């Protein structure tokens, strides 16, 4: 008969083998106003990045957070800031920097939703909107400022009475891009104008390993919270490629859109001119599409996103300004019309679908000029894409109609430009949106396409 010591050791063994219950927002230490807000917005359980980052954040640590797109990174930095603000509701409290205007608006929406019970006030400072309106927002003493580096610096240098002297938190979302040369001058100036005694969070789906870049953000003994590998796509994403001759690219693209007609689709292009051109071609062919690119005004860009989010437009044709951070839960498919030059951009693009545990699909159009780029992406992500099955007869039947739509779209855009409504569009076409020099040998390439496919497939085995 077992004695007390045996019973005790049995209980200890039971403790060791019993599974640890999953973390809840309450067990992580969140206050009731935030728990109520999380319930209202439908956040039931912490995501991996939230469960890992929040304990360190509540402990006052600087954080470098790396997690795949759609994993809840915004809430991972917004929740500890809002909790601290509840404890110390004093003046301008936090500043969040984002690389794009659309992402800045989205972050603001999340802060306002999560801080609704607290009456949190946010101000969005981005280019493309008039300074006086933003100055009025700043005069209302917001708790949180979300902005792009250039416009924030404009206000720091020109808006009377505005400063970041009381700042407690600095956040860089999509930090790897913010720490690149594109934003370096503005970031360096901003860092000189904010308190050294602060908490700093860097979050991104991909993060540079170059220590010098991270040191520029003035981190103090940061903890690195990583719930995905450096370059990773989520398991719920099905990744496909379509191999085709460059000359037939538009026909293959329209074939894909036609076969996926019931899906919500984001199409990524390399240039602004191409995004505009494809959206016009789609409209001519009867597809509900809307473009978003850097030549559009801010109100036009926000309007395009609103139409896509509401479902009144099923297709969003975008440059890479839409590839980072945007959370549109209903995106079923991402089509890479142009293969991105950098593997990191591919990860951000396809991250617009299969978000927060949902399934999704990405299809990349690969011409004879893109094979090396595709192989590089596969090497970096560690996953082979599958061949997306197409019907040659259906694509051949589309060629004439797509060609007519393309010519009509060129005429429409030319007329728009002539009427002065498309400033800068000619320059974009000259930069890469017009007819490519590569077209000269497309007829030869098309004839040799079966041989090329066979060689390509052999390389992948």
């Amino acid at each position: 008969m077992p004695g007390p010591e045996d019973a005790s050791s049995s209980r200890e063994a039971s403790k060791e083998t019993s599974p640890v219950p999953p973390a809840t927002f309450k067990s992580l230490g969140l206050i009731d106003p935030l728990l109520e807000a999380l319930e209202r917005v439908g956040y039931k359980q912490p995501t991996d990045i939230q469960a890992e980052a929040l304990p360190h954040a509540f402990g006052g640590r600087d954080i470098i957070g790396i997690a795949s797109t759609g994993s809840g990174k915004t809430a991972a930095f917004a929740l500890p800031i809002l909790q601290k603000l509840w404890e110390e509701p004093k003046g301008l409290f936090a500043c969040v920097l984002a690389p794009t205007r659309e992402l800045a608006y989205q972050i603001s929406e999340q802060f306002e939703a999560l801080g609704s019970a607290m009456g949190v006030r946010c101000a969005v400072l981005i280019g493309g909107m008039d300074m006086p309106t933003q100055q009025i927002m700043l005069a209302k003493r917001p708790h949180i400022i979300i902005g792009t580096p250039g416009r924030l610096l404009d206000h720091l240098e020109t808006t009377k009475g505005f400063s970041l002297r009381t700042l407690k938190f600095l956040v860089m979302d999509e930090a790897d891009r913010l720490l690149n040369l594109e934003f370096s001058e503005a970031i360096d100036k901003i860092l000189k104008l904010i308190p050294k005694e602060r908490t700093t969070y860097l979050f991104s789906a991909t993060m540079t390993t170059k220590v010098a870049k991270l040191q520029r953000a003035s981190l103090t003994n940061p903890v690195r919270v990583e719930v995905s590998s450096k370059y990773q796509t989520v398991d719920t994403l099905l990744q496909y490629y379509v191999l085709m001759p460059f000359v037939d690219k538009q026909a293959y693209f329209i074939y894909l859109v036609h076969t996926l007609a019931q899906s919500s689709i984001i199409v990524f292009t390399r240039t602004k001119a191409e995004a505009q051109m494809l959206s016009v071609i789609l409209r001519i062919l009867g597809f509900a599409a809307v473009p978003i690119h850097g030549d559009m005004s801010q109100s036009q860009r926000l309007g395009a996103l609103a139409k896509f989010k509401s479902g009144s437009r099923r297709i969003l044709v975008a440059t890479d300004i839409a590839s980072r951070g945007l959370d549109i839960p209903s995106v079923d498919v991402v089509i890479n019309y142009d293969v991105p030059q950098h593997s990191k951009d591919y990860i951000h693009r396809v991250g617009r679908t299969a978000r927060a545990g949902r399934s999704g699909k990405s299809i990349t159009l690969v011409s004879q000029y893109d094979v090396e780029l595709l192989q590089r992406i596969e090497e970096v992500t560690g996953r082979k894409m599958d061949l997306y099955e197409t019907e040659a007869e259906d694509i051949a039947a589309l060629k004439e109609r797509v060609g007519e739509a393309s010519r009509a779209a060129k005429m429409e855009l030319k007329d728009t430009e002539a009427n002065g409504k498309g400033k800068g569009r000619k320059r974009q076409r000259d930069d890469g949106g017009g007819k490519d020099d590569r077209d000269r040998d497309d007829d030869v390439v098309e004839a040799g396409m079966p041989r090329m496919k066979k060689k390509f497939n052999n390389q992948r085995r």
Side-chain angles (χ1 to χ4, degrees):
M1 187 171 179
E5 290 182 6
D6 296 318
S8 174
S9 57
S10 175
R11 282 195 299 271
E12 291 299 324
S14 174
K15 281 182 186 176
E16 287 175 11
T17 56
S18 60
V20 178
T24 64
F25 285 115
K26 189 167 186 176
S27 71
L28 289 171
L30 284 164
I31 56 176
D32 287 340
L34 291 178
L35 292 173
E36 290 167 14
L38 286 163
E39 193 172 336
R40 276 196 302 274
V41 298
Y43 289 8
K44 302 192 186 314
Q45 290 289 127
T47 63
D48 290 344
I49 185 64
Q50 292 160 7
E52 290 287 331
L54 287 174
H56 295 296
F58 292 146
R61 297 288 299 275
D62 284 4
I63 294 173
I64 299 171
I66 308 168
S68 56
T69 56
S71 60
K73 293 191 298 296
T74 306
F77 62 73
L79 289 169
I81 290 172
L82 290 169
Q83 180 133 324
K84 195 69 175 174
L85 177 62
W86 178 266
E87 297 168 5
E88 302 176 21
K90 296 177 184 175
L92 179 55
F93 201 73
C95 175
V96 183
L97 294 176
T100 68
R101 303 168 184 179
E102 287 72 27
L103 180 54
Y105 268 109
Q106 184 174 285
I107 294 168
S108 174
E109 289 170 359
Q110 281 239 303
F111 265 100
E112 287 171 351
L114 294 172
S116 56
M118 302 165 51
V120 69
R121 295 189 302 276
C122 297
V124 179
L125 306 181
I126 59 170
M129 307 296 281
D130 65 287
M131 292 273 286
T133 301
Q134 294 174 355
Q135 287 166 341
I136 292 169
M137 289 164 53
L138 291 174
K140 294 178 180 178
R141 298 171 61 81
H143 302 110
I144 316 288
I145 284 176
I146 304 103
T148 49
R151 179 51 63 94
L152 175 62
L153 185 60
D154 287 344
H155 281 287
L156 285 169
E157 292 178 341
T158 63
T159 298
K160 189 175 180 181
F162 171 59
S163 78
L164 298 176
R165 285 194 299 269
T166 62
L167 199 70
K168 299 291 189 296
F169 288 87
L170 174 69
V171 182
M172 294 190 190
D173 197 13
E174 302 299 341
D176 59 327
R177 184 170 168 192
L178 286 172
L179 293 169
N180 279 340
L181 289 174
E182 179 185 357
F183 297 101
S184 61
E185 186 177 350
I187 293 287
D188 286 344
K189 288 181 179 178
I190 290 167
L191 289 172
K192 290 176 183 175
L193 296 172
I194 61 178
K196 286 185 169 53
E197 293 295 320
R198 65 172 191 273
T199 304
T200 305
Y201 300 151
L202 308 185
F203 277 84
S204 186
T206 53
M207 189 69 74
T208 179
T209 54
K210 294 180 180 175
V211 177
K213 283 188 177 181
L214 299 180
Q215 285 175 340
R216 288 181 51 235
S218 304
L219 295 162
T220 304
N221 188 26
V223 58
R224 186 183 180 98
V225 177
E226 188 169 355
V227 297
S228 69
S229 60
K230 185 186 172 190
Y231 296 109
Q232 188 177 42
T233 52
V234 295
D235 293 335
T236 53
L237 175 68
L238 301 174
Q239 300 177 63
Y240 298 95
Y241 72 95
V242 173
L243 194 63
M244 84 278 150
F246 182 82
V247 70
D248 291 334
K249 191 172 186 177
Q250 288 183 351
Y252 272 80
F253 169 66
I254 296 300
Y255 167 82
L256 289 177
V257 171
H258 179 71
T259 59
L260 300 164
Q262 302 306 311
S263 302
S264 172
I265 305 170
I266 296 183
V267 181
F268 283 105
T269 68
R270 194 169 294 149
T271 67
K272 294 176 279 189
E274 202 152 42
Q276 190 68 32
M277 170 70 78
L278 287 184
S279 67
V280 175
I281 290 173
L282 287 166
R283 180 172 51 76
I284 291 171
L285 292 172
F287 296 100
V290 64
I292 180 170
H293 54 74
D295 264 1
M296 298 165 66
S297 69
Q298 190 56 40
S299 59
Q300 287 174 327
R301 285 157 65 168
L302 291 174
L305 276 176
K307 288 176 183 176
F308 184 65
K309 284 183 177 182
S310 70
S312 66
R313 298 292 186 274
R314 301 288 292 174
I315 305 169
L316 181 70
V317 187
T319 56
D320 278 318
I321 64 169
S323 69
R324 284 178 176 255
L326 293 186
D327 185 16
I328 307 171
S330 58
V331 178
D332 302 313
V333 183
V334 167
I335 297 177
N336 287 304
Y337 183 81
D338 294 315
V339 184
Q341 298 287 322
H342 303 290
S343 302
K344 187 188 294 187
D345 292 332
Y346 172 83
I347 292 167
H348 285 285
R349 286 183 180 187
V350 300
R352 298 314 99 209
T353 186
R355 298 178 70 80
R358 301 179 188 91
S359 60
K361 185 184 298 180
S362 71
I363 305 172
T364 301
L365 294 176
V366 181
S367 77
Q368 63 271 24
Y369 306 106
D370 304 317
V371 172
E372 188 178 335
L373 288 174
L374 176 72
Q375 292 171 333
R376 196 182 305 159
I377 289 168
E378 290 181 327
E379 184 180 345
V380 167
T381 61
R383 288 179 65 178
K384 292 281 186 185
M385 296 183 209
D386 297 317
L387 177 66
Y388 190 86
E389 297 296 337
T390 56
E391 295 292 337
E393 289 182 6
D394 292 347
I395 293 166
L398 281 170
K399 283 186 185 181
E400 185 176 350
R401 191 175 167 209
V402 172
E404 290 172 358
S406 180
R407 288 188 289 274
K410 285 177 183 175
M411 289 299 295
E412 182 177 322
L413 292 173
K414 189 175 181 180
D415 290 343
T416 302
E417 183 182 314
N419 291 332
K421 295 178 183 177
K423 290 181 180 177
R425 212 165 273 152
K426 181 179 185 300
R427 177 179 52 78
Q428 292 150 22
R429 284 204 299 275
D430 291 343
D431 287 345
K435 190 170 179 65
D436 200 302
D437 289 339
R438 300 177 297 190
D439 292 354
R440 285 196 292 261
D441 65 344
D442 275 328
D443 293 337
V444 176
V445 170
E446 185 173 11
M449 201 63 189
R451 186 170 65 253
M452 181 185 121
K453 285 185 177 179
K454 184 176 180 182
K455 180 181 178 182
F456 177 63
N457 289 329
N458 285 338
Q459 286 176 342
R460 293 169 58 80
R461 288 197 185 102

